[in-house]
Amino acid sequence: AGLAELVGAVELAPFALARNLAAAELDAAIADGRLVRVGPARAPFAADPQRLVVIGDALAAALAEWHGAHPDTLGPTRAALFRQARGIAPEPALDAALAMLLANGRAMRDGAALHLPEHRPRLAREDERLWERVRPLLAAGELRPPRVRELAEVLGLDPEPMTRFLKRIERFGGVAAVAPNRYFLPETVARLAAVARTLADAAADGAFTAAAFKDASGIGRNLAIEVLEHLDAIGVTRRVGDARVVVRTSD
């Protein structure tokens, strides 16, 4: 398994062919732990377990480096982490090493973000103070939080800095941009997703219209459409003709 030890993973079929390995020999190497099978079933790779541990250490170090450079974000996506780790190993080996990190608790996944267990995003102190004023205003709006311009007016700020602030909070995970001029708390999005689920559950075909969602939520036609488009975008609902169905529950 020398080449697998060197690069982490090699394509299984060419690997076996080059070494004139019979299927039984490959199965034996995998069974006794000298190799592990990783990657897609249609084009599997052979990986060296000890090399995967080294690759996992490198990925953990890359995560730590990301956290140091981006302290106000939860963590990189898989794609972003693998770009940072480019050249360490083939992608199937990176995936296998990442799976090991996740399985043993050395890394965590939160939505699309990957992070070390001890990492907690940190807002700048000025943002923390402003967030303490903005969050109650968003919560008080119930299912129809105030627009960016309305928030800015209440707090005596200009709309443009308020928008930049909310975009920073969005990266932190505190709000979701449901529309260009309106940001929702995650719990508000979850409540609106629950409205969609209730409508879908009550329908014989599991589908509901934007008009039905508007009436059930009481948020108005234009905003209802923007909310549904956001639920589509995050994979909670899917548009089917003039109606929508629920794809999954919202966490």
Side-chain angles (χ1 to χ4, degrees):
L3 186 56
E5 292 173 0
L6 180 64
V7 301
V10 293
E11 288 187 72
L12 195 53
F15 177 77
L17 184 63
R19 285 155 183 75
N20 198 28
L21 294 176
E25 293 177 286
L26 274 177
D27 290 341
I30 291 170
D32 66 16
R34 284 177 289 153
L35 292 173
V36 293
R37 193 188 306 264
V38 300
R42 65 183 181 278
F45 278 63
D48 175 74
Q50 295 306 312
R51 178 62 182 161
L52 290 182
V53 172
V54 175
I55 296 168
D57 290 342
L59 288 178
L63 276 176
E65 184 178 341
W66 177 281
H67 294 331
H70 308 279
D72 61 339
T73 65
L74 184 56
T77 62
R78 169 192 172 278
L81 178 63
F82 283 9
R83 281 196 300 272
Q84 185 169 333
R86 187 184 296 113
I88 291 177
E91 189 170 314
L94 293 176
D95 271 323
L98 176 59
M100 290 170 58
L101 289 180
L102 293 169
N104 62 28
R106 292 185 62 199
M108 301 182 72
R109 189 192 304 274
D110 191 337
L114 297 162
H115 63 96
L116 297 176
E118 64 273 16
H119 175 66
R120 298 292 181 272
R122 299 191 311 273
L123 285 174
R125 183 163 300 179
E126 297 78 8
D127 282 351
E128 286 182 352
R129 287 197 291 262
L130 183 54
W131 181 232
E132 289 172 359
R133 301 170 65 196
V134 169
R135 194 186 190 289
L137 296 175
L138 294 174
E142 295 287 332
L143 297 182
R144 189 185 178 91
R147 297 180 179 88
V148 172
R149 172 178 49 78
E150 294 165 336
L151 285 171
E153 288 176 357
V154 170
L155 297 173
L157 300 172
D158 291 331
E160 189 174 334
M162 176 59 69
T163 298
R164 290 198 299 268
F165 163 76
L166 288 168
K167 286 181 178 179
R168 292 195 297 273
I169 297 296
E170 183 181 23
R171 292 197 301 270
F172 178 72
V175 294
V178 171
N181 66 343
R182 205 185 298 260
Y183 289 74
F184 285 44
L185 295 173
E187 53 264 39
T188 304
V189 174
R191 288 173 59 191
L192 289 161
V195 172
R197 285 200 305 276
T198 299
L199 289 170
D201 290 344
D205 60 356
F208 62 93
T209 63
F213 184 80
K214 170 187 74 71
D215 292 341
S217 62
I219 62 175
R221 180 180 180 279
N222 290 341
L223 183 55
I225 291 172
E226 290 174 331
V227 167
L228 287 172
E229 289 175 347
H230 178 73
L231 294 180
D232 293 344
I234 64 175
V236 174
T237 56
R238 183 177 71 248
R239 186 170 182 172
V240 180
D242 292 330
R244 279 176 170 82
V245 297
V246 170
V247 178
R248 63 169 174 79
T249 58
S250 177
D251 297 329

